[in-house]
Amino acid sequence: RGRKGCVMNSSKTKGAIKIKELDEVDVWKQKKLVMKLNKASGQGTSMITIIVPPDTQMARVGKLLTKEYGTASCIKSNITKKSVMEAIRSIQHAVKQWKKPPPNGLAIFCGTVSEGTKQKKRLTLFEPIKPLTRFTYKC
Protein backbone atom coordinates (compact mmCIF):
# COMPACT_ATOMS: atom_id res chain seq x y z
CA ARG A 1 0.00 0.00 0.00
CA GLY A 2 1.26 3.43 -0.91
CA ARG A 3 0.59 6.28 1.50
CA LYS A 4 0.07 9.28 -0.73
CA GLY A 5 -2.82 11.07 0.99
CA CYS A 6 -6.46 10.65 1.87
CA VAL A 7 -9.58 10.17 -0.19
CA MET A 8 -13.26 10.43 0.71
CA ASN A 9 -15.16 7.21 1.17
CA SER A 10 -18.77 7.43 0.01
CA SER A 11 -20.05 5.54 3.05
CA LYS A 12 -21.19 7.64 5.98
CA THR A 13 -21.01 6.70 9.64
CA LYS A 14 -23.28 8.57 12.07
CA GLY A 15 -23.22 11.73 9.92
CA ALA A 16 -19.40 11.85 9.68
CA ILE A 17 -17.60 11.00 6.47
CA LYS A 18 -14.96 8.29 6.75
CA ILE A 19 -11.44 9.15 5.60
CA LYS A 20 -9.14 6.32 4.62
CA GLU A 21 -5.60 5.99 3.45
CA LEU A 22 -5.12 6.35 -0.26
CA ASP A 23 -3.86 3.18 -1.87
CA GLU A 24 -3.55 1.74 -5.35
CA VAL A 25 -7.16 0.52 -5.32
CA ASP A 26 -8.42 4.06 -4.65
CA VAL A 27 -6.27 5.44 -7.46
CA TRP A 28 -7.57 2.75 -9.83
CA LYS A 29 -11.20 3.43 -8.84
CA GLN A 30 -10.82 7.15 -9.42
CA LYS A 31 -9.11 6.66 -12.78
CA LYS A 32 -11.92 4.32 -13.81
CA LEU A 33 -14.52 6.91 -12.72
CA VAL A 34 -12.78 9.67 -14.69
CA MET A 35 -12.60 7.45 -17.81
CA LYS A 36 -16.33 6.71 -17.46
CA LEU A 37 -17.08 10.44 -17.16
CA ASN A 38 -14.93 11.16 -20.24
CA LYS A 39 -16.91 8.62 -22.26
CA ALA A 40 -20.28 10.05 -21.17
CA SER A 41 -22.05 11.92 -23.90
CA GLY A 42 -25.10 14.07 -23.60
CA GLN A 43 -27.40 15.99 -25.86
CA GLY A 44 -26.27 19.58 -26.48
CA THR A 45 -25.16 21.47 -23.38
CA SER A 46 -27.04 19.38 -20.83
CA MET A 47 -23.88 18.36 -18.94
CA ILE A 48 -22.68 20.55 -16.05
CA THR A 49 -19.22 20.42 -14.48
CA ILE A 50 -18.26 22.26 -11.31
CA ILE A 51 -14.77 22.09 -9.82
CA VAL A 52 -14.66 23.41 -6.25
CA PRO A 53 -11.24 23.96 -4.59
CA PRO A 54 -10.99 23.34 -0.84
CA ASP A 55 -10.80 27.08 -0.01
CA THR A 56 -14.11 27.92 -1.77
CA GLN A 57 -17.22 28.55 0.29
CA MET A 58 -20.12 26.29 -0.64
CA ALA A 59 -22.44 29.32 -0.38
CA ARG A 60 -20.67 30.71 -3.46
CA VAL A 61 -21.53 27.55 -5.36
CA GLY A 62 -25.15 27.77 -4.23
CA LYS A 63 -25.44 31.40 -5.36
CA LEU A 64 -23.88 30.57 -8.72
CA LEU A 65 -26.35 27.73 -9.25
CA THR A 66 -29.31 29.97 -8.36
CA LYS A 67 -28.12 32.53 -10.92
CA GLU A 68 -27.53 29.86 -13.57
CA TYR A 69 -30.99 28.37 -12.94
CA GLY A 70 -32.51 31.75 -13.87
CA THR A 71 -30.30 31.97 -16.95
CA ALA A 72 -31.26 28.42 -18.00
CA SER A 73 -34.91 29.44 -18.20
CA CYS A 74 -33.97 31.49 -21.31
CA ILE A 75 -32.73 28.45 -23.27
CA LYS A 76 -34.83 28.14 -26.45
CA SER A 77 -34.78 24.37 -26.82
CA ASN A 78 -37.31 22.91 -24.38
CA ILE A 79 -35.48 19.60 -24.14
CA THR A 80 -32.13 21.23 -23.34
CA LYS A 81 -33.77 23.75 -20.99
CA LYS A 82 -35.49 21.00 -19.01
CA SER A 83 -32.31 18.91 -18.87
CA VAL A 84 -30.10 21.81 -17.69
CA MET A 85 -32.64 22.97 -15.10
CA GLU A 86 -32.98 19.43 -13.69
CA ALA A 87 -29.19 19.09 -13.49
CA ILE A 88 -28.91 22.43 -11.66
CA ARG A 89 -31.62 21.42 -9.19
CA SER A 90 -29.87 18.10 -8.54
CA ILE A 91 -26.55 19.83 -7.91
CA GLN A 92 -28.21 22.43 -5.65
CA HIS A 93 -29.71 19.66 -3.54
CA ALA A 94 -26.35 17.84 -3.30
CA VAL A 95 -24.37 21.02 -2.50
CA LYS A 96 -26.69 21.89 0.42
CA GLN A 97 -25.40 18.77 2.20
CA TRP A 98 -21.82 20.12 2.27
CA LYS A 99 -20.84 22.88 4.71
CA LYS A 100 -17.37 23.12 3.19
CA PRO A 101 -15.49 21.24 0.48
CA PRO A 102 -13.33 18.23 1.42
CA PRO A 103 -9.54 18.73 1.92
CA ASN A 104 -8.75 18.17 -1.78
CA GLY A 105 -11.83 19.99 -3.10
CA LEU A 106 -14.95 18.63 -4.76
CA ALA A 107 -15.63 17.67 -8.37
CA ILE A 108 -19.29 17.69 -9.46
CA PHE A 109 -20.61 16.32 -12.76
CA CYS A 110 -24.31 16.22 -13.63
CA GLY A 111 -26.45 15.97 -16.70
CA THR A 112 -28.44 13.80 -19.02
CA VAL A 113 -26.28 11.01 -20.45
CA SER A 114 -27.04 8.82 -23.44
CA GLU A 115 -26.97 5.12 -22.57
CA GLY A 116 -27.77 3.27 -25.75
CA THR A 117 -31.16 4.51 -26.86
CA LYS A 118 -32.12 5.87 -23.44
CA GLN A 119 -31.33 9.18 -21.74
CA LYS A 120 -30.55 9.05 -17.99
CA LYS A 121 -29.69 11.78 -15.53
CA ARG A 122 -26.38 11.18 -13.74
CA LEU A 123 -24.96 13.05 -10.73
CA THR A 124 -21.39 12.33 -9.63
CA LEU A 125 -19.57 14.04 -6.77
CA PHE A 126 -16.13 13.03 -5.55
CA GLU A 127 -13.01 14.29 -3.85
CA PRO A 128 -10.09 13.99 -6.27
CA ILE A 129 -6.79 12.39 -5.34
CA LYS A 130 -4.85 15.62 -5.89
CA PRO A 131 -5.98 18.99 -4.49
CA LEU A 132 -7.95 21.22 -6.85
CA THR A 133 -6.63 24.74 -7.30
CA ARG A 134 -9.09 26.60 -9.54
CA PHE A 135 -12.88 27.08 -9.37
CA THR A 136 -14.53 26.08 -12.64
CA TYR A 137 -18.13 26.05 -13.88
CA LYS A 138 -18.97 24.64 -17.30
CA CYS A 139 -22.36 24.02 -18.83
Side-chain angles (χ1 to χ4, degrees), residues 85-126:
M85 291 176 88
E86 284 180 9
I88 291 172
R89 278 195 302 261
S90 295
I91 296 171
Q92 282 177 322
H93 180 71
V95 165
K96 285 180 183 177
Q97 298 176 13
W98 294 84
K99 292 184 180 180
K100 63 179 187 173
N104 285 345
L106 185 64
I108 306 167
F109 302 92
C110 187
T112 305
V113 177
S114 301
E115 291 183 357
T117 59
K118 295 185 178 184
Q119 299 280 325
K120 292 191 176 185
K121 185 177 71 175
R122 296 280 181 225
L123 173 64
T124 305
L125 295 98
F126 67 93

Side-chain angles (χ1 to χ4, degrees), residues 13-112:
T13 307
K14 296 183 182 178
I17 298 173
K18 287 169 129 183
I19 306 286
K20 63 179 182 172
E21 286 185 21
L22 180 66
D23 60 12
E24 289 81 18
V25 174
D26 295 319
V27 173
W28 176 80
K29 285 180 182 179
Q30 194 157 84
K31 284 182 180 180
K32 186 175 178 182
L33 174 63
V34 170
M35 285 191 300
K36 184 178 177 182
L37 290 168
N38 279 333
K39 289 180 184 177
S41 63
Q43 187 177 29
T45 57
S46 61
M47 300 290 287
I48 297 174
T49 302
I50 304 177
I51 305 299
V52 184
D55 59 347
T56 303
Q57 294 181 357
M58 294 307 279
R60 175 184 176 197
V61 178
K63 287 179 185 176
L64 172 73
L65 290 168
T66 301
K67 179 182 170 191
E68 289 295 321
Y69 189 82
T71 304
S73 65
C74 298
I75 296 172
K76 292 180 182 179
S77 166
N78 286 333
I79 295 170
T80 304
K81 179 190 328 186
K82 181 182 175 191
S83 179
V84 170
M85 291 176 88
E86 284 180 9
I88 291 172
R89 278 195 302 261
S90 295
I91 296 171
Q92 282 177 322
H93 180 71
V95 165
K96 285 180 183 177
Q97 298 176 13
W98 294 84
K99 292 184 180 180
K100 63 179 187 173
N104 285 345
L106 185 64
I108 306 167
F109 302 92
C110 187
T112 305

Side-chain angles (χ1 to χ4, degrees), residues 4 6-7 22 30 54 103-106 126-133:
K4 296 181 183 176
C6 292
V7 67
L22 180 66
Q30 194 157 84
N104 285 345
L106 185 64
F126 67 93
E127 180 184 13
I129 295 168
K130 296 180 182 178
L132 300 170
T133 57

